[in-house]
Each structure stands twice: as structure tokens, then as C-alpha cells.
Amino acid sequence: MNTQQRRNKILELLKSCKEPMSGSELAKIFNVTRQVIVQDIAILRAAGNNIIATAQGYMVQGTMLPYTKQIAMRHDADLTREELLTFVECGCKVIDVIVEHPIYGELRGMLMLSTSEDVENFLNAVKEHRASLLSQLTDGVHIHTIEAINLDCINKAEKLLKEKGMLLE
């Protein structure tokens, strides 16, 4: 298989997957190094393909669940676990976190969290890398893009987060 054929197959594979695929997974499938995959992804993006990189791997944006909503939040960093678990336990997928920075404008971090295990892995990575949450740049104010199979899941999460005082209204 030549380079272009491999890139086409990578794109097909990412379009058919509902969950992100890591560079290492793709490297094994195509028997190349992870760095080759990183370069292939860069070329595919430059060609106009809407491939996003998440902490869990690559995916093509547009393979979203039927219902999507952006929800404004405000809370201290110590409530992040509770917030994220509330979303996923209500059947929602937390796609990203967005903050409005006074200098840089909109900053977005891709999360792609759909299970409590995803939440714990994310929070462990934050701790392990001694990273700051984006919401810490804006006194706890942030927005999450949420997806769900139905509006009931989103409405339930919003209701619970409002009761917990985390929803920004």
C-alpha cells in the first residue's frame, strides 16, 4: 500500500469509528510508526478533513450523537469530578471545554468523555501532568459541548447541575 492509499484508509477508518483511535492503534494497523501516522493526520487535515485530536486519539468531527448543546458552567476546580460525572452518569458525552480568555479569545480543549472511567482517566492525567484546567483561567466560568442520544439525558444533567449550583444562568 502506498502513502496515499494508507491516508485514504486512515480517513475511512476514522469516519467509520464512533470512538477516537490513538496514533499507536493506527500505527499497528498500518504497520508504520506513530510519527508516520501523526504526519498522515497533518496532511489529511491540511487537505480539509475535519479530524480532531483528543486525549483518547483521533476522530472525524461530525460523527456526533443526535442532540448537542452547549452548557455554561461556573464552579471551583475541586467540583470538576462531580460536574463531569454528573454529565456522563446522565448519559451525556462531554465533547469539550471552552473558555473565553481576555487575551487569546476562545480556547477549546477536546475532552470526549462518555464514561466514569474516561472522567477518572482525564482527572488522573491532569494530576499526573500537573496541568491546570482551562476553567481556572476564567475564575471557573466555562462552557461544555454535550451530546446525548436524546434531550432527556441533557435536561436531566442540567437539572442536577443547577441543583448543585454549578450551572451558570
Side-chain angles (χ1 to χ4, degrees), residues 34-141:
R34 193 184 69 74
Q35 187 56 37
V36 169
I37 296 298
V38 169
Q39 291 171 7
D40 286 344
I41 296 293
I43 298 289
L44 288 167
R45 281 180 172 159
N49 295 291
N50 201 5
I51 299 172
I52 56 173
T54 73
Q56 294 86 16
Y58 299 107
M59 65 185 301
V60 174
Q61 196 165 19
T63 54
M64 299 181 144
L65 293 172
Y67 295 94
T68 303
K69 185 171 184 181
Q70 289 193 327
I71 301 175
M73 308 293 299
R74 182 177 196 162
H75 60 80
D76 294 332
D78 60 339
L79 293 175
T80 301
R81 173 178 274 107
E82 185 175 354
E83 171 207 47
L84 296 174
L85 286 173
T86 299
F87 279 123
V88 300
E89 288 169 0
C90 287
C92 299
K93 184 174 188 176
V94 184
I95 301 302
D96 59 20
V97 59
I98 305 164
V99 297
E100 187 66 34
H101 192 273
I103 296 171
Y104 300 114
E106 184 180 284
L107 299 176
R108 180 183 306 250
M110 299 307 294
L111 297 177
M112 306 308 261
L113 308 173
S114 55
T115 66
S116 56
E117 182 181 6
D118 291 344
V119 171
E120 294 304 328
N121 289 340
F122 168 72
L123 294 171
N124 288 336
V126 169
K127 184 177 180 181
E128 179 184 324
H129 295 284
R130 297 185 188 133
S132 295
L133 298 170
L134 285 180
S135 61
Q136 290 177 294
L137 297 172
T138 56
D139 295 322
V141 175

